[in-house]
Amino acid sequence: MCEANAYIINGEQEDLFMEKVDRVIPENGQLILENIFGQKKIIKAQIKELALVDHRIILKRNEGNEE
Amino acid sequence: MCEANAYIINGEQEDLFMEKVDRVIPENGQLILENIFGQKKIIKAQIKELALVDHRIILKRNEGNEE
């Protein structure tokens, strides 16, 4: 299975936000993440980088009114 | 290997833009895609959807000045 783990940048570090993510859908400045179990999480963030071979999705929180 | 194929929405259909994509980095309203061979492509587009288990990255071209 080729799901990835989603991490959110928190200062100098990356915090695990969701494991085994299958789908990511940007919508209205938010991201809808769905894992392989069908569970969903919504976060006001952007994709900063995908590194699929490493199974990594790096997210960055939106600041202020930025989308 | 868990790379994915990137498709660009073209009207009603999806055209293959790049195969075996490893990395995707959004930058200044553009996307930098890099495949597992280290080849890069840049496109003025956004990520519309990731479906990693299906190995699919769906892109949508930016229209006008939208980022």
Side-chain angles (χ1 to χ4, degrees):
Chain A
M1 294 281 277
C2 282
E3 70 279 358
N5 292 332
Y7 300 87
I8 185 99
I9 291 180
N10 182 9
E12 302 272 309
Q13 66 186 40
E14 297 168 356
D15 296 336
L16 182 63
F17 178 70
M18 192 179 206
E19 288 183 294
K20 297 184 187 300
V21 173
D22 173 17
R23 290 175 183 269
V24 181
I25 302 170
E27 199 171 282
N28 299 326
Q30 303 186 122
L31 297 174
I32 304 168
L33 284 79
E34 186 175 335
N35 67 14
I36 59 171
F37 309 111
Q39 296 167 323
K40 290 185 183 182
K41 280 189 173 185
I42 297 177
I43 183 172
K44 290 189 180 181
Q46 297 178 348
I47 294 167
K48 182 168 183 289
E49 183 175 349
L50 305 178
L52 300 179
V53 172
D54 293 336
H55 297 251
R56 285 165 56 84
I57 300 169
I58 310 299
L59 308 179
K60 185 183 172 189
R61 278 184 202 279
N62 294 343
E63 294 172 26
N65 292 323
E66 283 181 22
E67 281 201 354
Chain B
M1 295 280 275
C2 282
E3 71 279 359
N5 293 332
Y7 301 86
I8 183 97
I9 291 179
N10 182 9
E12 301 272 308
Q13 65 187 40
E14 295 167 356
D15 296 338
L16 182 63
F17 178 69
M18 191 179 208
E19 289 183 293
K20 298 186 186 300
V21 174
D22 173 16
R23 288 174 184 271
V24 180
I25 301 170
E27 200 170 282
N28 299 327
Q30 302 186 122
L31 297 175
I32 303 167
L33 283 80
E34 186 176 333
N35 67 14
I36 57 171
F37 309 110
Q39 297 167 322
K40 289 186 183 182
K41 280 190 173 184
I42 297 178
I43 183 171
K44 290 191 178 179
Q46 296 180 345
I47 295 168
K48 184 170 183 287
E49 183 174 351
L50 304 177
L52 301 178
V53 172
D54 293 336
H55 299 252
R56 285 163 56 83
I57 300 170
I58 311 298
L59 308 179
K60 184 182 171 185
R61 276 184 204 281
N62 293 343
E63 294 173 25
N65 292 322
E66 284 180 23
E67 285 201 351

